[in-house]
Amino acid sequence: MYLRKCFSVILLLYEGFVACEIGDGRNVWNKFSGSSLLNETQYFQANRFPKSFLWGVGTAAFQTEGALDWDGKGPSIWDHFIHSPDFRYNDASSKSYTLWDKDLEALKYLGVKFYHFSISWPRLFSDGIANVVNMNGLTYYNQLIDSLREEKIEPVVTLYHWDLPLALQLKYGGWKNESLIDIFNDYAAFCFQAFGNRVKYWLTIHNPYLIAWHGYETGIHAPGETADSSAVFKAAHNLIKAHAKVWHTYDRHFRHTQHGFVSLTLGSHWAEPKKGNLNDFTIESCHQSVQAVLGWFGKPVFGDGDYPTVIKQKIKHWMPSFTASEKKYIRGTADFFAFSFGPNNFRPASTFVKYGQPDSLSIRQALNWIKLEYNNPRILIAENGWFTNNNIKTEDTSSIFLIKWFLNEVLQAIIHDDVKVFAYTAWSLVDGYEWSYAYSIRRGLFYVDLDSKEKVRVPKTSAIFYKHIIQQHGLPSMEASFTSQFSCDFQWGVSDSVIQVQLTPSSPQFTDPNLYLWNAPRDGGLRKVNGVKLHTRASQCTDFNAVRNHIQMLSRLSVNHYKFALNWSLILPNGDLSVINKEAIYFYQCLIKEMIKRGIKPLVTLYHPTDHHTNMPAPLYQEGGWLNRSTVHAFRDYANLCFKEFGEHVGMWITVNEPNKLSQTYKINSNDTYIAAHNLILAHMMAWHLYDKHYRVYQNGLVSFALHADWAEPANPYLTSHVLAAERILLFELAWFMDPFFKTGDYPERMLDYLRLKNKHGLSQSAVPSFTGDENKAVKFSADFVALNHFTTHLVIHQRQNGSSYEHDRDSILRPDVTWPRSPKGLSVVPWGIRKLLNWIKTRYGNVPIYITANGVDDKSSHNDELRKFYIKNYIKEILVAKEHDQVNVRGYYGWKLQDRQNSHFGFFNSPFFESRAKLSSLFYSELITNRGVFSEATATKSCKEQEGQELTGCEACTFILKWKAFLFFGICLLITTTLLITVLFTYVRKRRKPH
């Protein structure tokens, strides 16, 4: 019966379209329709709030005070409601009535400027009638207010937060009866008289929508009525009139002496059209959904004194109406807009109707709606936050991210949208009773064991986070600011994976000796002329289209290095030296030679597996790949061939690209990953020693390997478990391979200890292979530089896992931050992560030379790839700060990658299927290289050529030579020529005079 009746009300509220009043609020959805993470008004707003901005925290009396029947307090409708058979309540609370001094300590810990609390109406007047006050209750609130002011914490007081005296419900039927208007006014007047000299901000009623809707329609809030659908509208009507009367009472009798401000708190959800479905219909649906909640109470007070048209027309059978004088009386009865945006406005599902559109946590858009709909009022966010399950004690990581999300959106609204938000209230101070959810959820910044006697307030990690926000007065940026340029010897490059080899030249006319006739029978074809042979020449490197195309793209980028990979399986299809693909070797030689001709040096990768292909010779793969020790020796032979064939022109080598990721693909049993990694390390070590012994003396090259090196940040920096989990990820991902080569010659001891501990407790059976004594010595320092492929940053959460696998052994889960911009493929764009990574390597391994051998992001655009430009600019800026400010030995940067394979993803150039067209990021990167890492000629200093010239200007003679070098050159040439002529003439004359 209830569901059928509720559904009929919903239909009346939301069925079909009606003509809505013209308002600016509906423009919000169009304003934010073009959201882009590259728009500075929409990505994370790391900044400070205005100087006058106020930070606060709030509670409600019924939720936290306890002492339900102490010291003369009368029962409220919630006291009666929760003791009914349908609700569980054990009278537990945080006991703020007796432990208010503990709340005060919590407030001082946070450093807030105001405390938003509510007065319990039945604690002052047990029957609700403001005649004989309960002195115990009066003493309590006086003591609280005085103590707050002594600590310079401003009290923000709500007169009614849902705990109506039960006597008024029983006698009058609660808010359905307009008699409560005058009774509430009398109570409010008493509070103004008793506390108004110390309270400047008053809120009459908290979220009247939920009072009316859940109290008189759904029945999930006190008084729990569901029988009369018209009751919800009567209650709402009287709540609005009660507020207006209280405002006028304050305005007429108290404002001139107390100089305070009065409003009411209005709450709402927010609705957005489904992605890609923004149109007039969906916008109107969302607008009406918000109007039916926020506009129901907002328009009478902040608008024209009347209800929104959408409600009046759809609920005309039950909706009371305001007279003309009442509209005038109600309109403008608020000195600021108090806004509640929290879970009670979204949960449960019956709180509001989505009307076919998803709800959203975009408080920024809701604030913009208020601004546009109600003429940009000053806004106090009177309640904001979320909840955790009741099993969460102090480690409330999700709350941190939601606070960060909400504050970021509030700051964006202030800075970019000129929304006049002047204060923010985090909700709530301590854990308490959460209305229809009772104790199943928690919302406090401070954890309270509600079953304990002591009720100790323990700061959760969200409290620590909020405290730091208040101290910093906002969300300071982690991005660095540094004015400098990269040195002229800094490597600028671009990376690629295994490049496609062209085995035959693209110009067969130079190698084919036959003569052809074209279109002889007028069919457009070629006909070979028999018996005729022509002289040909040998194929040349420029005959390969692939070589020409690569050189053209590289030249357009202005890079001086190109990192590409050879195809092991193509060069040695059998995995050994029994068959060598000479055509493939010739192609690579051509590419390298043509690059060098144009001043582009190669950084060659011997082995570059991918997610889709191992790129290993099939016979080796079939024999177990890197699980088989024989693959190590096969790789050494392959490396020897490459050093011999290409080493003359190659100055830098990468043996294996991302062995730390490749090894993770071996996971049939618990130890496969570690065995594969072990053999990869040995393979690199052998290749390095081979080069060092036989080739380095005359090739003068460097050899290393490239690791996938994303940064790991603790999801909750205030939890030791998360900090350790992030460190553990770096151990298992990076130190796993780096410690053997750059530190100890063995695996990280902490990593091994952690695995031993898991083995001891039966949580894993994983075992890491050991190096022999000779291997340990051979591995140590068998790498000439650090090569890092860095793309993103992950948040790390500790989670103990039971299972024998590399993933389980780490006891960590990777997550993104909701406030970080993300690419179409889900890569978080976090530039400061690369600086932290570089400093971590410097701290752990000393001042080793570092090359960023791959760095990039996916971008769907085939032309104007703004995301890639944004990414490159900001990551290179952080690398520059790390190099110049932090003194990290960074020597080169390689953008990832040269060209797309098929669709638009990571490339600076489109795939050959799209004619290898350049994207705008290629021009941007070229200009950046020209300006040595800064992003405009205005901020760039001298170019490298100018700097070279400047170095010669230390003497006047050098300056003169540089200035007049053209004339000096001509003069010297003329002098030499003249001297020669004179010499010739002199010799000739002497010969003529010599007698015969």
Side-chain angles (χ1 to χ4, degrees):
M1 176 65 183
Y2 161 71
L3 289 175
R4 187 164 61 248
K5 177 184 69 62
C6 188
F7 182 68
S8 66
V9 174
I10 291 171
L11 285 177
L12 285 169
L13 274 170
Y14 299 101
E15 185 181 63
F17 276 111
V18 294
C20 290
E21 62 279 8
I22 297 174
D24 290 335
R26 58 173 53 81
N27 293 332
V28 169
W29 289 274
N30 279 320
K31 174 179 178 179
F32 290 97
S33 63
S35 60
S36 166
L37 60 86
L38 302 180
N39 185 334
E40 68 171 1
T41 70
Q42 294 171 10
Y43 58 72
F44 183 70
Q45 186 62 52
N47 211 325
R48 299 186 187 278
F49 282 76
K51 280 187 176 182
S52 59
F53 192 83
L54 302 175
W55 300 98
V57 66
T59 58
F62 179 78
Q63 293 182 282
T64 60
E65 282 185 1
L68 302 184
D69 54 0
W70 290 17
D71 294 343
K73 177 187 175 294
S76 72
I77 56 174
W78 272 95
D79 296 327
H80 177 73
F81 186 62
I82 60 180
H83 286 95
S84 67
D86 295 332
F87 285 85
R88 178 185 65 82
Y89 187 72
N90 59 5
D91 288 343
S93 76
S94 52
K95 300 294 185 188
S96 291
Y97 179 71
T98 54
L99 301 176
W100 60 268
D101 56 327
K102 303 298 183 184
D103 287 346
L104 188 63
E105 290 300 315
L107 294 168
K108 290 162 62 177
Y109 172 87
L110 291 174
V112 293
K113 292 299 182 183
F114 69 88
Y115 178 38
H116 173 197
F117 66 93
S118 70
I119 292 174
S120 172
W121 189 349
R123 193 174 295 283
L124 287 183
F125 302 102
S126 59
D127 60 358
I129 305 301
N131 45 27
V132 179
V133 68
N134 174 19
M135 293 305 298
N136 292 317
L138 183 63
T139 300
Y140 164 67
Y141 289 116
N142 273 321
Q143 196 172 27
L144 175 60
I145 291 171
D146 288 342
S147 298
L148 289 171
R149 292 187 64 83
E150 285 176 10
E151 299 295 340
K152 295 181 171 53
I153 300 173
E154 190 74 32
V156 175
V157 180
T158 291
L159 293 171
Y160 178 64
H161 196 133
W162 306 358
D163 49 350
L164 183 73
L166 180 62
L168 299 181
Q169 180 69 33
L170 297 175
K171 183 175 181 179
Y172 298 101
W175 287 106
K176 295 180 296 182
N177 193 317
E178 64 180 8
S179 299
L180 260 67
I181 297 171
D182 290 331
I183 295 173
F184 181 64
N185 184 65
D186 292 342
Y187 157 65
F190 175 86
C191 292
F192 295 151
Q193 183 67 46
F195 313 120
N197 61 331
R198 292 158 291 161
V199 176
K200 299 304 178 187
Y201 289 96
W202 292 97
L203 296 164
T204 57
I205 301 167
H206 186 87
N207 213 335
Y209 172 84
L210 295 181
I211 297 171
W213 187 257
H214 285 327
Y216 296 91
E217 178 60 35
T218 68
I220 64 173
H221 282 191
E225 296 186 6
T226 61
D228 182 5
S229 294
S230 64
V232 62
F233 303 104
K234 293 177 183 176
H237 199 69
N238 291 330
L239 285 163
I240 293 170
K241 292 169 72 173
H243 158 76
K245 184 157 190 172
V246 169
W247 185 90
H248 281 287
T249 296
Y250 186 87
D251 192 58
R252 187 178 305 115
H253 301 292
F254 299 97
R255 190 186 301 277
H256 67 285
T257 57
Q258 296 181 1
H259 308 292
F261 305 93
V262 180
S263 188
L264 78 168
T265 299
L266 301 183
S268 184
H269 64 298
W270 184 249
E272 287 185 22
K274 295 175 183 177
K275 190 173 183 179
N277 193 32
L278 183 75
N279 53 53
D280 291 344
F281 181 91
T282 57
I283 288 174
E284 193 62 32
S285 298
C286 292
H287 183 66
Q288 289 191 17
S289 179
V290 176
Q291 281 283 23
V293 177
L294 188 55
W296 187 356
F297 296 84
K299 188 169 177 287
V301 175
F302 295 93
D304 60 3
D306 201 1
Y307 295 116
T309 304
V310 60
I311 296 179
K312 289 196 300 181
Q313 292 191 359
K314 292 185 176 184
I315 315 297
K316 54 188 175 183
H317 302 92
W318 294 328
M319 176 66 71
S321 60
F322 295 116
T323 65
S325 60
E326 286 175 335
K327 293 177 186 178
K328 184 178 180 181
Y329 185 77
I330 293 169
R331 184 174 64 244
T333 55
D335 303 319
F336 56 92
F337 197 108
F339 184 48
S340 165
F341 196 79
N344 291 326
N345 299 304
F346 291 84
R347 302 168 73 239
S350 59
T351 298
F352 69 95
V353 179
K354 298 180 181 180
Y355 200 8
Q357 308 304 319
D359 53 295
S360 162
L361 294 183
S362 180
I363 190 173
R364 178 184 180 183
Q365 294 188 37
L367 291 170
N368 270 269
W369 190 90
I370 294 168
K371 170 192 172 181
L372 295 175
E373 194 72 13
Y374 302 127
N375 195 28
N376 200 14
R378 295 177 71 242
I379 300 174
L380 161 68
I381 297 177
E383 176 190 5
N384 183 235
W386 211 245
F387 66 93
T388 62
N389 293 330
N390 67 344
N391 62 306
I392 302 297
K393 294 184 178 180
T394 59
E395 300 183 0
D396 57 339
T397 303
S398 61
S399 295
I400 290 177
F401 292 114
L402 284 163
I403 292 172
K404 184 179 178 183
W405 167 269
F406 288 133
L407 286 176
N408 172 54
E409 293 237 320
V410 172
L411 187 55
Q412 287 175 331
I414 293 171
I415 292 177
H416 299 300
D417 308 329
D418 295 323
V419 179
K420 298 177 181 177
V421 183
F422 69 91
Y424 176 86
T425 310
W427 200 275
S428 65
L429 177 65
V430 293
D431 290 331
Y433 187 81
E434 293 299 336
W435 311 112
S436 59
Y437 294 94
Y439 298 113
S440 65
I441 64 173
R442 294 177 179 270
R443 293 190 66 190
L445 293 174
F446 286 78
Y447 169 76
V448 178
D449 182 352
L450 299 175
D451 294 324
S452 68
K453 292 181 179 179
E454 296 80 9
K455 313 290 185 184
V456 177
R457 276 75 167 139
V458 182
K460 302 179 185 179
T461 53
S462 58
I464 303 171
F465 177 73
Y466 189 49
K467 174 183 180 179
H468 289 168
I469 292 293
I470 294 171
Q471 288 174 340
Q472 299 167 118
H473 202 59
L475 302 160
S477 173
M478 295 186 72
E479 309 294 335
S481 178
F482 196 75
T483 304
S484 184
Q485 288 178 283
F486 288 96
S487 58
C488 288
D489 60 352
F490 190 79
Q491 287 187 13
W492 293 102
V494 63
S495 291
D496 218 334
S497 55
V498 176
I499 61 174
Q500 188 171 355
V501 173
Q502 187 177 346
L503 296 177
T504 57
S506 308
S507 304
Q509 67 267 31
F510 296 116
T511 57
D512 187 351
N514 295 301
L515 177 67
Y516 297 87
L517 291 176
W518 175 71
N519 203 28
R522 299 185 181 279
D523 62 353
L526 292 172
R527 295 289 186 273
K528 185 170 72 172
V529 178
N530 295 323
V532 179
K533 297 294 181 181
L534 303 175
H535 292 290
T536 63
R537 64 163 174 79
S539 63
Q540 298 177 0
C541 289
T542 53
D543 293 337
F544 293 97
N545 277 340
V547 171
R548 291 199 303 271
N549 291 340
H550 269 78
I551 298 302
Q552 289 173 2
M553 290 186 288
L554 293 171
S555 298
R556 293 183 67 175
L557 283 177
S558 303
V559 294
N560 51 39
H561 282 75
Y562 177 39
K563 175 179 175 285
F564 67 92
L566 307 176
N567 190 330
W568 182 8
S569 62
L570 182 64
I571 293 175
L572 299 179
N574 292 339
D576 56 24
L577 300 177
S578 61
V579 177
I580 300 175
N581 190 329
K582 299 291 186 180
E583 290 82 4
I585 289 176
Y586 178 65
F587 174 84
Y588 288 129
Q589 288 172 337
C590 280
L591 176 61
I592 291 170
K593 289 176 182 178
E594 292 301 312
M595 287 167 51
I596 292 173
K597 285 180 183 178
R598 288 157 180 81
I600 303 168
K601 297 179 181 179
L603 194 170
V604 177
T605 301
L606 295 175
Y607 178 47
H608 188 124
T610 66
D611 293 339
H612 308 293
H613 201 285
T614 63
N615 286 322
M616 174 184 287
L620 297 179
Y621 181 76
Q622 291 164 2
E623 292 297 321
W626 290 106
L627 296 178
N628 191 329
R629 181 63 70 94
S630 64
T631 302
V632 175
H633 300 282
F635 183 77
R636 179 195 58 195
D637 294 341
Y638 164 61
N640 186 49
L641 175 66
C642 293
F643 294 152
K644 182 173 65 176
E645 295 290 346
F646 312 119
E648 180 184 356
H649 303 292
V650 176
M652 296 182 72
W653 294 92
I654 294 294
T655 55
V656 184
N657 188 74
E658 300 188 354
N660 53 339
K661 287 299 180 186
L662 171 61
S663 58
Q664 294 175 38
T665 63
Y666 291 88
K667 49 186 176 183
I668 294 177
N669 65 57
S670 62
N671 294 322
D672 283 357
T673 301
Y674 301 106
I675 294 171
H678 194 74
N679 288 333
L680 282 161
I681 289 172
L682 294 177
H684 166 80
M685 177 267 289
M686 287 186 179
W688 186 90
H689 280 286
L690 174 71
Y691 188 88
D692 192 59
K693 182 177 181 180
H694 298 289
Y695 297 98
R696 192 186 302 273
V697 68
Y698 62 90
Q699 291 184 1
N700 297 312
L702 302 173
V703 181
S704 192
F705 55 93
L707 292 178
H708 187 101
D710 291 335
W711 179 244
E713 188 78 6
N716 190 331
Y718 312 111
L719 290 180
T720 302
S721 63
H722 286 206
V723 173
L724 293 176
E727 292 176 358
R728 199 159 54 245
I729 285 290
L730 295 174
L731 288 174
F732 274 76
E733 291 277 353
L734 299 180
W736 181 22
F737 280 82
M738 294 186 70
D739 273 26
F741 293 108
F742 297 100
K743 196 170 187 180
T744 62
D746 202 354
Y747 297 114
E749 191 60 33
R750 285 175 56 197
M751 174 183 172
L752 298 177
D753 287 343
Y754 196 80
L755 288 174
R756 293 186 194 108
L757 184 64
K758 293 201 71 171
N759 290 337
K760 180 179 179 181
H761 289 92
L763 298 173
S764 174
Q765 296 179 355
S766 298
V768 178
S770 299
F771 295 110
T772 66
D774 290 340
E775 287 173 343
N776 183 279
K777 293 177 183 178
V779 167
K780 190 174 182 180
F781 303 132
S782 60
D784 300 319
F785 58 91
V786 174
L788 306 173
N789 300 341
H790 175 87
F791 299 95
T792 189
T793 291
H794 302 284
L795 294 179
V796 184
I797 297 172
H798 169 76
Q799 184 171 345
R800 180 58 61 92
Q801 299 184 60
N802 186 355
S804 299
S805 69
Y806 173 78
E807 290 81 5
H808 290 152
D809 290 339
R810 303 182 305 178
D811 285 343
S812 302
I813 296 176
L814 305 183
R815 290 286 185 269
D817 187 320
V818 293
T819 64
W820 290 344
R822 299 181 71 187
S823 74
K825 287 185 175 293
L827 285 179
S828 296
V829 181
V830 193
W832 50 260
I834 198 167
R835 182 184 177 192
K836 286 196 169 189
L837 170 68
L838 292 170
N839 276 279
W840 181 84
I841 290 173
K842 177 185 176 184
T843 301
R844 189 173 181 88
Y845 302 107
N847 207 27
V848 292
I850 303 172
Y851 295 85
I852 307 299
T853 46
N855 179 242
V857 71
D858 58 293
D859 191 320
K860 288 184 176 180
S861 174
S862 61
H863 178 61
N864 188 15
D865 47 345
E866 291 287 341
L867 174 57
R868 183 171 292 105
K869 291 192 291 183
F870 173 85
Y871 181 99
I872 292 171
K873 173 182 176 180
N874 287 282
Y875 273 79
I876 288 179
K877 182 169 65 174
E878 292 292 326
I879 294 169
L880 179 59
V881 175
K883 178 176 173 60
E884 299 298 326
H885 183 271
D886 305 335
Q887 297 298 299
V888 180
N889 190 11
V890 189
R891 298 190 178 183
Y893 174 88
Y894 292 72
W896 177 263
K897 66 179 189 166
L898 180 64
Q899 186 175 26
D900 292 328
R901 283 288 183 261
Q902 292 181 348
N903 298 323
S904 295
H905 290 304
F906 286 87
F908 288 101
F909 294 85
N910 286 281
S911 74
F913 298 108
F914 298 96
E915 301 176 355
S916 300
R917 289 191 297 269
K919 304 176 187 177
L920 291 185
S921 61
S922 64
L923 177 62
F924 177 81
Y925 188 40
S926 175
E927 292 176 348
L928 187 148
I929 292 171
T930 302
N931 293 328
R932 295 162 49 202
V934 295
F935 313 104
S936 69
E937 294 183 4
T939 55
T941 57
K942 293 179 174 62
S943 68
C944 288
K945 290 183 179 179
E946 291 173 329
Q947 186 167 317
E948 289 170 4
Q950 185 71 25
E951 290 171 357
L952 300 175
T953 59
C955 61
E956 294 183 6
C958 297
T959 305
F960 178 82
I961 290 170
L962 285 172
K963 183 176 181 180
W964 300 101
K965 59 184 178 181
F967 293 100
L968 289 171
F969 177 77
F970 176 75
I972 291 170
C973 290
L974 183 61
L975 178 63
I976 293 172
T977 303
T978 304
T979 303
L980 288 172
L981 285 173
I982 293 171
T983 303
V984 170
L985 286 171
F986 180 76
T987 303
Y988 175 76
V989 169
R990 289 190 64 182
K991 284 185 176 181
R992 287 289 301 270
R993 292 177 178 176
K994 190 174 182 180
H996 296 282

